[in-house]
Amino acid sequence: NDSTEEELERLITWNASVLETHLQKILSQRKESKRTRRNSKTLSLVSTPPIPYIDELSEAVAMPSFNRDAVNRIMNQGYKMTPLPEKVRTELHNYVTRIAALYRGVNFHNFEHASHVTMSANKLMNKVCSPMLFNGNKKNEKKENKGGNTTKAQEADFFFSTYGIGLDPLAQFAIVFAALIHDVDHTGIPNFELIKENADLGSQYKNRTVAEQNSIHIALSILMEPKFENLRLCIYTDEESKQRFRQLLINVVVATDIADRDRMGKEKARWERAFADVSSSEELWQNKSDEELAQIDVSLKATLVLEQIMLASDVAHTMQHWLTFVKWNEKLFRELWAAYSSGRGTIDPRINWYQGQISFYDGYIIPLAKKLKECGVFGSAGEEYLSFALKNREEWTEKGEEISAQFIQSITMSGA
């Protein structure tokens, strides 16, 4: 109906505007650094023949090293945002429209979910990218600060406190783009059911993380169409930027398959190795020359933080207002019920739903929220997400049995 069409168009326009802001930063940085524009026609994002994307996971995606001029410019002047060329804006809107049309009408993993994840990823990214966040929390704030300009210590603090992400518009864009496309073509069933239902797709992707790899492939294949050439030229102009964009996309979308226990175990080990002693990490960059600062590799920490942004955004409803959590929790219940009741799934959500949510909070959500707080790059958002997670877990413990019963009664009465 008309209202549904209007809501869809509103979401498409909103998502395109979020991506546009990040693209403007890429163009601004490119202009300031005077990087030459090269032809993107030969720079394909899709390998031929297709290689399983899980074979291309990177331990750490290469991140730019410390550059004093760039840090100083962004902290003191911000990005000199110029409007995107109209043909790029049109292509961007058309791209988001194409992606939206490929999200299926399932209850949870739909375009509204993608938009919700995009909103959360953008919020967390904006927290990371606020220089004021770091100016206000560091001891060096009271140092002599002539003319309102940042001190050298503040500049180093900003870069290394965000592991370079705050100065990396391509990474910022890649994560928000990933949030938009991460569940495209999701069929409403988990991977272990999808492999049974679509054996060809399963074998193409080694029967691992199949839905996520399929989403990556669809998103990149569409982006490679000739009609999006100007959009591609805006995102990347050379092999290095193309490869970084592609690699970030693969890493963060594959990370959302939290049912892959082997990969999740490796992710935990990477995190512990990178952030074992984050409290004393400031010593790594304090009182160092610019040459020494440029030698510090932030790639592993940055990659992990970007993956955490994606993971947190994918389940953001669990760490937001109680009513938001209940709304999306019911959508997930209904999606699993639709699969089970039609013979496509083996999970009956009516069984143990109440206890399952408590286990999910204890085993995944609360540890994830603690990581957001511990890594220190999100300012107040890290504390806020953890606080909501703990409150929602407590409220679900009190009210969840009754709410689960209401879910069951609702599907029984409606036959949905």
Side-chain angles (χ1 to χ4, degrees), residues 73-230:
R73 187 168 60 244
I74 297 306
M75 289 190 75
N76 291 303
Q77 300 168 27
Y79 290 96
K80 293 177 181 173
M81 306 284 263
T82 53
L84 288 186
E86 197 54 42
K87 56 190 174 183
V88 176
R89 293 189 76 226
T90 300
E91 288 182 18
L92 177 61
H93 189 276
N94 290 344
Y95 182 82
V96 176
T97 303
R98 281 281 295 281
I99 292 296
L102 290 170
Y103 271 91
R104 303 189 183 210
V106 294
N107 281 288
F108 184 92
H109 293 97
N110 50 36
F111 188 60
E112 186 188 356
H113 166 67
S115 302
H116 191 244
V117 176
T118 301
M119 183 184 293
S120 175
N122 190 54
K123 174 186 173 180
L124 287 173
M125 198 58 82
N126 287 340
K127 284 285 186 182
V128 174
C129 297
S130 169
M132 297 311 295
L133 190 66
F134 300 95
N135 287 356
N137 293 339
K138 302 293 179 184
K139 300 178 193 113
N140 61 42
E141 164 131 78
K142 292 178 183 164
K143 289 184 182 176
E144 191 65 28
N145 209 343
K146 293 175 185 174
N149 288 331
T150 49
T151 65
K152 285 195 169 188
Q154 284 173 329
E155 289 160 5
D157 272 344
F158 176 54
F159 182 87
F160 290 103
S161 296
T162 67
Y163 311 116
I165 298 168
L167 276 296
D168 189 355
L170 180 64
Q172 296 162 29
F173 173 82
I175 304 316
V176 179
F177 180 90
L180 175 74
I181 64 91
H182 79 285
D183 274 331
V184 70
D185 195 37
H186 198 292
T187 59
I189 53 176
N191 275 320
F192 74 91
E193 306 280 16
L194 180 60
I195 292 163
K196 297 180 210 167
E197 191 171 281
N198 192 335
D200 289 345
L201 191 67
S203 61
Q204 183 180 336
Y205 294 122
K206 294 187 168 181
N207 291 324
R208 285 184 62 196
T209 314
V210 175
E212 292 80 4
Q213 293 189 78
N214 181 51
S215 296
I216 294 168
H217 190 68
I218 289 169
L220 292 182
S221 298
I222 293 173
L223 189 56
M224 280 311 301
E225 290 176 8
K227 65 182 73 170
F228 298 115
E229 183 191 350
N230 293 298

Side-chain angles (χ1 to χ4, degrees), residues 177-349:
F177 180 90
L180 175 74
I181 64 91
H182 79 285
D183 274 331
V184 70
D185 195 37
H186 198 292
T187 59
I189 53 176
N191 275 320
F192 74 91
E193 306 280 16
L194 180 60
I195 292 163
K196 297 180 210 167
E197 191 171 281
N198 192 335
D200 289 345
L201 191 67
S203 61
Q204 183 180 336
Y205 294 122
K206 294 187 168 181
N207 291 324
R208 285 184 62 196
T209 314
V210 175
E212 292 80 4
Q213 293 189 78
N214 181 51
S215 296
I216 294 168
H217 190 68
I218 289 169
L220 292 182
S221 298
I222 293 173
L223 189 56
M224 280 311 301
E225 290 176 8
K227 65 182 73 170
F228 298 115
E229 183 191 350
N230 293 298
L231 176 57
R232 291 197 305 276
L233 273 170
C234 200
I235 300 168
Y236 59 88
T237 55
D238 54 30
E239 184 63 31
E240 181 193 353
S241 55
K242 181 216 82 170
Q243 192 53 38
R244 272 204 336 117
F245 168 68
R246 186 175 187 277
Q247 192 64 63
L248 284 166
L249 190 69
I250 292 169
N251 263 54
V252 301
V253 174
V254 167
T256 62
D257 180 15
I258 59 175
D260 185 337
R261 294 192 175 179
D262 177 54
R263 195 198 49 73
M264 288 291 284
K266 290 176 182 173
E267 188 272 330
K268 187 177 180 183
R270 282 165 72 219
W271 182 274
E272 287 169 359
R273 190 165 72 252
F275 292 103
D277 196 16
V278 74
S279 59
S280 62
S281 60
E282 286 184 26
E283 295 168 14
L284 289 173
W285 68 77
Q286 288 179 343
N287 304 313
K288 296 267 197 340
S289 68
D290 285 8
E291 290 73 20
E292 289 172 312
L293 291 174
Q295 295 302 310
I296 300 173
D297 187 3
V298 294
S299 298
L300 177 59
K301 285 187 172 74
T303 302
L304 284 162
V305 167
L306 293 168
E307 289 172 8
Q308 298 309 304
I309 290 175
M310 190 67 187
L311 288 170
S313 300
D314 197 23
V315 291
H317 65 283
T318 65
M319 297 178 275
Q320 292 171 344
H321 191 278
W322 166 250
L323 293 178
T324 302
F325 165 63
V326 174
K327 168 191 165 179
W328 286 99
N329 191 253
E330 181 174 8
K331 283 174 174 285
L332 183 58
F333 180 93
R334 285 180 170 273
E335 181 170 294
L336 290 168
W337 172 250
Y340 179 76
S341 61
S342 64
R344 296 179 66 225
T346 54
I347 299 171
D348 183 348

